[in-house]
Structures are given as C-alpha cells and as structure tokens.
Amino acid sequence: MTELDALREACLGCTACGLSVRRNSVVFGEGNPASPLVLVGEGPGETEDLTGRPFVGKAGQLLDRALADNGLDRTMVYICNTVKCRACDWNDGRARNRPPTEAEVAACRPWLERQLRLIAPKIILCVGAPSAKNLIKKDFSITRERGRYFPCAFARAAIATLHPAYILRQQGADNDGGYSLLVRDIGRAWAAAQRLLQGPEASKDPRDAGEACQPTLPGV
Ligand code: SF4
C-alpha cells in the first residue's frame, strides 16, 4: 500500500466536520498520482457523493471532454477536491448542494495538503474560483486572474480555470459559455507541467510566460 493509499483509507473514515453525518461517500480523488498535473475542484456533488468519484456528473462529463480535446484522459492527470464530502442543506428530506463553509474547508484542509504533498505535482489547475481562493489566494478573481500562473505551496505553480458547472449554466445557442477557455487552460497547464518535467532547460518558471488572459466571461 502506498502512502497515498493509506491516506485515502484514513480519509474514508474521517468525521472531522459535520459533512460526515449524511454523506454516502468520501470523495478522496482519483487518477494518476505520478502525473505532473493535478486538477482541484471545490467539492463533490450528488453524483460524486453516490459514486465516490470526483467530477462524474454533467460537469464532470464536460471536464472529460475538455481533457479529451487536449489529447488527455483521467489516467494522465489526478483529480480531487478541496473538500472531500458533499456539502448540502436538507429540506423535507431533500438535499440541495451548497458551498462548503469556511469551517468545513478548514477541517478538510489537512487531507488536501497531505494529498498534494504526496503527489507533488508540477502544476495545480484550480477548477473554479473556490478552489483558487483556497490554493492561490483568498481574494482570487476568476474574471481578472483566470489563466495566470501563481506561486503555490504544493506545486511549482498554480493556475485557475472556469468550473465546468459554470460553463454549462452559461452555454447558449450562440456562445460556448467559456468552454474554449477551459480547453485552453487545461492545455496550457499540461504543457507547462510537461516542460517542468523535462528539466532545467525546458523548465523555465511558467509564471514567466506572461500569458495572462483577460477573457470576456458571459455572465460574470
Ligand atoms: Fe472529513 Fe473533509 Fe469529510 Fe469533513 S469534508 S468529514 S473534514 S473528509
């Protein structure tokens, strides 16, 4: 058993916050732990809670498509979330997703930190603003700062992109809701991770690339 497997086993029994009470699964993360690229979302939703796998609902299917459009799949990257259990409110026996509270994010942070330190990726791609606020800086603006490289304690650099759930909400007959930006950010993050893998000559700090994007985001 690897250290990451042992961490997963321990995490599956975690009761450090109230999200443990009604969860079906702890969604620890999956993929290739040797990958130079880790994607980190905010937290599991209903389908993820039922299956125990990250990004497997409609948003996850869009993420898979964006990976495939870059010639990638889930065996080539690692995917996880900042919070490992589904955050939701219950009314009349029905659950509605909600963002995790600051206390829940803080309670789960040690799992994420240990997970990222064991994987030690070259690049972290934060999927959505909450993940970027957690891993890059508290006042991260997805509108202004998406697509830029930032220093990160758990990788050579971190970059943030749009959450596929946001893209699905924005998509219309005449716009892609930002899907092309998601594809581009994944491609850039993967290319930077590969450069960093190839050694000192190729591994110039990706933050030097100066490729900051100022996209027009529908609805933001
Ligand atoms: Fe533990 Fe994180 Fe689940 Fe809370 S969300 S119970 S801290 S694994």
Side-chain angles (χ1 to χ4, degrees):
M1 181 183 278
T2 66
E3 281 187 79
L4 190 62
D5 291 336
L7 185 69
R8 171 197 288 272
E9 286 297 312
C11 187
L12 296 186
C14 178
T15 56
C17 83
L19 298 185
S20 63
V21 175
R22 300 189 83 155
R23 73 181 176 219
N24 289 296
S25 312
V26 174
V27 183
F28 181 73
E30 68 178 33
N32 181 358
S35 176
L37 178 62
V38 172
L39 281 61
V40 183
E42 181 180 31
E46 181 179 14
T47 314
E48 291 77 13
D49 176 57
L50 290 172
T51 60
R53 301 183 57 212
F55 281 99
V56 288
K58 283 187 180 169
Q61 289 163 19
L62 193 69
L63 183 65
D64 285 342
R65 205 177 110 205
L67 286 168
D69 283 349
N70 280 291
L72 304 172
D73 62 36
R74 285 177 183 245
T75 67
M76 301 165 77
V77 299
Y78 192 91
I79 303 177
C80 63
N81 286 302
T82 58
V83 167
K84 311 301 186 191
C85 302
R86 182 189 183 194
C88 52
D89 291 323
W90 289 82
N91 283 312
D92 301 327
R94 305 185 73 170
R96 284 177 64 95
N97 287 343
R98 63 162 171 79
T101 64
E102 275 188 32
E104 290 159 351
V105 171
C108 215
R109 176 88 182 187
W111 294 117
L112 177 66
E113 289 195 2
R114 287 154 71 189
Q115 184 176 34
L116 292 176
R117 289 198 194 286
L118 287 172
I119 296 170
K122 301 293 184 195
I123 299 288
I124 291 174
L125 179 63
C126 298
V127 182
S131 170
K133 288 176 192 286
N134 193 327
L135 287 170
I136 296 177
K137 56 178 182 167
K138 279 191 170 182
D139 62 348
F140 186 88
S141 165
I142 198 80
T143 309
R144 292 194 307 276
E145 298 176 305
R146 190 220 106 250
R148 296 183 188 174
Y149 293 104
F150 289 85
C152 178
F154 309 103
R156 282 288 301 280
I159 179 174
T161 192
L162 302 178
H163 197 288
Y166 165 85
I167 293 171
L168 287 172
R169 289 196 299 274
Q170 301 303 318
Q171 278 180 338
D174 59 348
N175 76 74
D176 75 354
Y179 177 75
S180 56
L181 298 176
L182 174 65
V183 172
R184 173 180 165 166
D185 292 338
I186 290 174
R188 291 180 63 229
W190 179 254
Q194 291 300 312
R195 280 201 308 274
L196 289 165
L197 266 186
Q198 286 163 15
E201 209 33 56
S203 66
K204 113 178 151 164
D205 191 325
R207 284 169 282 157
D208 295 340
E211 298 177 69
C213 305
Q214 296 295 338
T216 302
L217 302 182
V220 173

